[in-house]
Amino acid sequence: LVRDPQGKPQPFVATKSDCQMDMEAWWDAVSNLPYLNAPIIMDYEEIPRTATMKVQRLELERRLMKENK
């Protein structure tokens, strides 16, 4: 999760290359959580990572802000 330009939680999801996101299952799974934006679906390889494979959330947030200017 990162913040969107309005400060709301923005999830990012990576699926297997041969699978599609089941949005109905997603919304069922998060229905009891606080508000979340619709997930942004990315290829696993597109998600920025550190040398130790941690997701670079600040980089994702920066990209999201840049796209929404």
Side-chain angles (χ1 to χ4, degrees):
L1 287 175
V2 300
R3 294 174 295 163
D4 74 1
Q6 291 76 40
K8 302 212 189 271
Q10 177 62 64
F12 286 82
V13 176
T15 60
K16 291 182 179 180
S17 59
D18 60 341
C19 296
Q20 289 192 344
M21 179 73 171
D22 182 344
M23 293 305 290
E24 187 174 329
W26 167 267
W27 291 117
D28 286 344
V30 301
S31 64
N32 292 328
L33 297 176
Y35 175 83
L36 293 172
N37 289 335
I40 294 175
I41 301 167
M42 299 177 72
D43 290 338
Y44 182 83
E45 294 79 24
E46 292 179 5
I47 297 174
R49 297 183 180 276
T50 65
T52 58
M53 297 304 291
K54 295 177 183 171
V55 173
Q56 292 181 336
R57 292 178 297 172
L58 293 176
E59 175 61 19
L60 282 173
E61 188 173 302
R62 186 190 65 76
R63 291 180 188 181
L64 186 61
M65 298 294 181
K66 185 177 180 181
E67 290 174 7
N68 289 299
K69 279 190 173 182

